[in-house]
Amino acid sequence: MDGILLVAHGSETGNESITGLAERVSGITGLPTAVGFKRYGEPKLRRAFEGLASRCGRVAVVPLFMTDGR
């Protein structure tokens, strides 16, 4: 089975929109979908990837960085 990992920077507030997006992506694709946060939020990227990879043979990693970094 394949899975999708959405990678976001995260924010001190407002990560619910990213979590909601993961639920919608999973509903549309029928694939297990997780979110990993680089800085703010849980789960952190490594833990999210390891959890998804333990259930899936392949994981597509999709960056969700909405603006240019500083």
Side-chain angles (χ1 to χ4, degrees), residues 1-3 32 49 52-60:
M1 174 188 298
D2 296 339
F49 177 78
L52 194 57
S54 71
R55 299 182 291 145
C56 301
R58 297 184 309 172
V59 176

Side-chain angles (χ1 to χ4, degrees), residues 2-64:
D2 296 339
I4 300 170
L5 177 62
L6 305 179
V7 179
H9 182 268
S11 123
E12 293 175 323
T13 61
N15 288 334
E16 298 82 17
S17 62
I18 301 297
T19 305
L21 177 62
E23 292 170 4
R24 290 192 301 277
V25 168
S26 182
I28 291 167
T29 65
L31 297 174
T33 304
V35 177
F37 294 101
K38 294 275 295 164
R39 181 161 176 131
Y40 298 106
E42 292 290 335
K44 297 296 184 211
L45 177 57
R46 179 187 221 62
R47 191 173 67 182
F49 177 78
E50 289 171 349
L52 194 57
S54 71
R55 299 182 291 145
C56 301
R58 297 184 309 172
V59 176
V61 179
V62 180
L64 292 179

